[in-house]
């Protein structure tokens, strides 16, 4: 009976998250509360269990990166990059779209894609207004680029952090296995954007007097150089964290502390930039999925999936990618990933490969990240950009975005499937 109760709570909670009838944090915490009331969850399982509780490595990694980004925001670096893109576009809308895609994709591996679009979107709206361009194609391009760029590194997209923590994937593993695909997909994405938005990307805009020099966006060069030096050391430490015997979460926290010290930022200023709601949502999700692990639902589903896959790992890879696009298209890819990780763990356990050598883990990474482009609610970056667009008076409907998103998801996932099939099955 308790198994069915846990499953019902989980389904109702995810339904509320997907439909956005309630704020997703309220829905997730409500689900956790219901599981506590019926006795599935207690303090021990929620806060101290590695199998069923909060993954504190993920939480502190996110917190540290949020602080780092909050300090970097004050340097004007992101406005500089956007103005640089406009200057180098030469007033050509198609070239501007390409440069904005590259800027977004270049920032996503260092920050995370949600933070990247939070910083780039307002500048893009301002640029479009000054140049008299329709913002829709540029904003949708930013979302698509952020989700594609999210495949590149361990810290580029929240699903990567969740998967890496459970599968013991390192920062270097992502550089070796995931970054090459990201570079291929960026070329594909630029071509798709030019085709999908060809009517909006024609013509030429005269830039004289409309855009200030990029250097004007940097109020204090000394602060920028100090912060970039710390960021460089953080990225280096991420790459060497196994040799340094430091978990990525500790690297992020040390980097956050160093960034605060060199910038002399006041406590209230950098804490203001921390997305507390996102951290609370992650914590609630871990406990919610842990409740299903506790009653045996996840184990049963994982065993069934492993039996269904049998010895055909490629079938498992295909199922994960298609499932990520279909199911993940209507549920934010963060809760989708949190639910799928223990299931994929069971599938991986039934094969001869593990960790970074398992194509199943990479299928989940690529499926969750690229499936985030499927609909307007499939990823956090989508929700953030569309919310900012509506607030600025340029609303983009669910179906307007989805019409383009489905095409991009189908093409990029097909490329990703070929990449996985060649790398792990044909050339292995």
């Amino acid at each position: 009976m308790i198994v069915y109760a846990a499953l019902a709570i989980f389904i109702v909670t995810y339904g509320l998250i997907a439909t956005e009838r309630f704020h997703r944090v309220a829905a997730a915490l409500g689900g956790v509360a219901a599981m506590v009331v019926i006795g599935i969850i207690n303090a021990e399982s929620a806060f101290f269990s590695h199998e069923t509780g909060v993954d504190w490595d993920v939480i502190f990694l996110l917190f540290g990166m949020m602080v780092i980004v909050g300090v970097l925001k004050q340097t004007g670096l992101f406005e500089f990059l956007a103005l640089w893109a406009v200057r180098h576009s030469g007033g050509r809308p198609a070239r501007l779209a390409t440069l904005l895609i590259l800027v977004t994709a270049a920032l996503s591996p260092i920050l995370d894609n949600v933070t990247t679009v939070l910083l780039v979107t307002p500048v893009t709206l301002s640029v479009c207004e000054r140049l008299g361009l329709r913002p829709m194609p540029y904003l949708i391009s930013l979302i698509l680029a952020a989700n594609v760029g999210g495949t590149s590194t361990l810290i580029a997209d929240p699903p990567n952090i969740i998967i890496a923590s459970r599968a013991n994937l390192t920062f270097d593993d992502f550089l070796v296995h995931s970054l090459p695909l990201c570079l291929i997909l960026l070329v594909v994405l630029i071509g798709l954007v030019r085709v999908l938005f060809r009517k909006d990307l024609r013509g030429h805009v005269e830039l004289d007097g409309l855009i200030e020099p990029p250097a004007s966006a940097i109020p204090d060069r000394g602060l920028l150089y100090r912060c970039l030096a710390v960021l460089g050391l953080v990225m280096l430490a991420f790459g060497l964290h196994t040799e340094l015997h430091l978990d990525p979460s500790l690297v992020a926290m040390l980097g956050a502390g160093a960034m605060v010290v060199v910038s002399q930022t006041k406590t209230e200023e950098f804490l203001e930039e921390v997305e507390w709601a996102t951290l609370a949502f992650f914590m609630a999700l871990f406990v919610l999925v842990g409740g299903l692990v506790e009653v045996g639902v996840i184990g049963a589903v994982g065993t069934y999936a492993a039996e269904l896959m049998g010895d055909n790992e490629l079938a498992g890879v295909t199922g994960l990618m298609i499932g990520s696009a279909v199911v993940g298209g209507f549920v934010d890819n963060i809760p989708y990933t949190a639910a799928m990780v223990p299931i994929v763990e069971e599938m991986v356990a039934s094969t001869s490969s593990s960790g970074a050598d398992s194509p199943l883990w990479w299928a989940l990474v690529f499926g969750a990240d690229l499936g985030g482009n499927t609909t307007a609610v499939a990823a956090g970056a989508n929700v953030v950009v569309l919310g900012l667009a509506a607030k600025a008076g340029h609303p983009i409907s669910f179906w307007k975005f989805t019409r383009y998103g489905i095409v991009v998801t189908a093409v990029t996932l097909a490329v990703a499937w070929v990449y996985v099939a060649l790398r792990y099955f044909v050339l292995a």
Side-chain angles (χ1 to χ4, degrees), residues 80-400:
F80 171 87
L81 290 172
L83 291 172
W84 173 89
V86 174
R87 282 284 176 184
H88 284 76
S89 72
R92 299 182 184 278
R95 190 183 297 175
L96 174 61
T98 298
L99 289 171
L100 287 174
I101 286 172
L102 294 175
V103 166
T104 304
L107 289 174
S108 291
I110 302 170
L111 315 176
D112 66 84
N113 55 4
V114 174
T115 303
T116 297
V117 296
L118 267 171
L119 297 167
V120 177
T121 299
V123 182
T124 301
L125 284 166
S126 175
V127 166
C128 289
E129 184 178 346
R130 292 191 195 187
L131 301 183
L133 299 171
R134 197 159 75 109
M136 185 273 291
Y138 301 96
L139 296 178
I140 291 180
S141 297
L142 289 186
I143 295 171
L144 301 174
N147 289 324
V148 168
T151 63
S152 56
T153 68
L154 187 153
I155 58 173
D157 205 358
N160 300 3
I161 299 171
I162 296 172
I163 295 166
S165 178
R166 195 64 175 257
N168 293 318
L169 302 178
T170 67
F171 193 86
D172 290 348
D173 288 334
F174 276 83
L175 296 182
V176 171
H177 294 262
S178 199
L179 183 58
L181 174 63
C182 176
L183 297 176
I184 295 168
L185 291 177
L186 277 177
V187 176
V188 173
L189 177 62
I190 290 169
L192 283 172
V193 164
R194 292 194 171 214
V195 172
L196 292 172
F197 301 113
R198 56 190 177 279
K199 292 182 180 178
D200 292 283
L201 300 181
R202 292 173 180 163
H204 180 272
V205 178
E206 188 57 54
L207 297 179
D208 290 345
L210 293 176
I211 299 293
E212 60 267 24
S216 65
I218 308 295
D220 184 343
R221 291 194 177 190
L223 173 64
L224 175 64
Y225 296 149
R226 293 195 301 274
C227 289
L228 287 178
V230 172
L231 182 62
L233 290 174
V234 170
M235 291 299 111
L236 181 63
F238 275 133
L240 298 174
H241 74 90
T242 50
E243 288 79 8
L244 297 172
H245 304 292
L246 287 174
D247 288 331
S249 54
L250 285 176
V251 172
M253 292 296 289
L254 289 170
M259 192 74 81
V260 170
V261 170
V262 302
S263 66
Q264 298 182 334
T265 306
K266 293 181 180 178
T267 304
E268 57 271 20
E269 291 177 343
F270 69 79
L271 287 181
E272 236 176 45
E273 299 298 330
V274 175
E275 298 167 45
W276 299 107
T278 299
L279 296 179
F281 181 58
F282 265 79
M283 292 168 70
L285 279 181
F286 284 129
V287 178
L288 198 63
V289 174
L292 292 189
V293 173
E294 194 77 38
V295 298
V297 170
I298 294 295
V301 173
T303 301
Y304 175 74
E307 290 174 354
L308 198 64
M309 178 181 67
D311 295 328
N312 192 343
E313 272 190 277
L314 186 57
V317 165
T318 305
L320 281 172
M321 286 191 170
I322 294 174
S324 298
V326 175
V327 180
F330 296 94
V331 179
D332 187 295
N333 61 2
I334 295 171
Y336 168 78
T337 304
M340 284 300 297
V341 161
I343 294 172
V344 176
E345 191 171 37
E346 294 283 342
M347 295 171 68
V348 171
S350 70
T351 68
S352 59
S353 56
S354 62
D357 294 326
S358 174
L360 294 170
W361 283 124
W362 297 112
L364 181 59
V365 169
F366 302 148
D369 292 347
L370 300 176
N373 279 330
T374 308
T375 70
V377 297
N382 311 16
V383 177
V384 167
V385 174
L386 298 188
L388 291 172
K391 192 175 180 181
H394 301 283
I396 300 171
S397 70
F398 177 94
W399 295 112
K400 172 75 78 174

